[in-house]
Amino acid sequence: IGVGLVGFGLFFILFGMLLYFDSVLLAFGNILFLSGLVFIIGFRRTFTFFFQRPKLKGTSFFLGGVLVVLMRWPLLGMLLEAYGFISLFR
């Protein structure tokens, strides 16, 4: 279930970007991606991964970007998410 949710989440994010940053598709993709991640590695491990002290800056940008996309500012939200994603996984 988790891999399917992550796959659909990535598909909706890509499709939302191809359709000139459609905020509904991007928001749906973000929700599916995060819920799939929780299904794959579990709630506790997801929480501990995102909220480690050295990764708090990346987490705040990533989750802030998700929140901004949900508030229907898709371009700014995706830029924040991209910076947070790069900061989390470097």
Side-chain angles (χ1 to χ4, degrees):
I1 293 174
V3 175
L5 287 174
V6 167
F8 276 118
L10 291 175
F11 170 75
F12 277 111
I13 289 172
L14 178 67
F15 198 58
M17 285 195 295
L18 287 174
L19 290 176
Y20 300 110
F21 292 96
D22 183 31
S23 60
V24 174
L25 290 174
L26 291 173
F28 195 61
N30 284 329
I31 292 170
L32 286 175
F33 179 76
L34 290 175
S35 63
L37 193 63
V38 169
F39 269 99
I40 290 174
I41 64 173
F43 183 76
R44 177 172 289 181
R45 289 181 66 186
T46 303
F47 186 80
T48 57
F49 172 75
F50 277 110
F51 293 102
Q52 294 174 3
R53 182 164 298 278
K55 295 182 180 183
L56 278 177
K57 179 181 172 186
T59 299
S60 62
F61 273 100
F62 183 75
L63 295 178
V66 170
L67 185 67
V68 169
V69 167
L70 289 174
M71 293 187 326
R72 296 197 180 247
W73 290 347
L75 188 60
L76 179 63
M78 289 307 290
L79 288 173
L80 290 173
E81 281 183 42
Y83 178 74
F85 188 80
I86 290 169
S87 180
L88 274 174
F89 293 108
R90 76 171 124 138

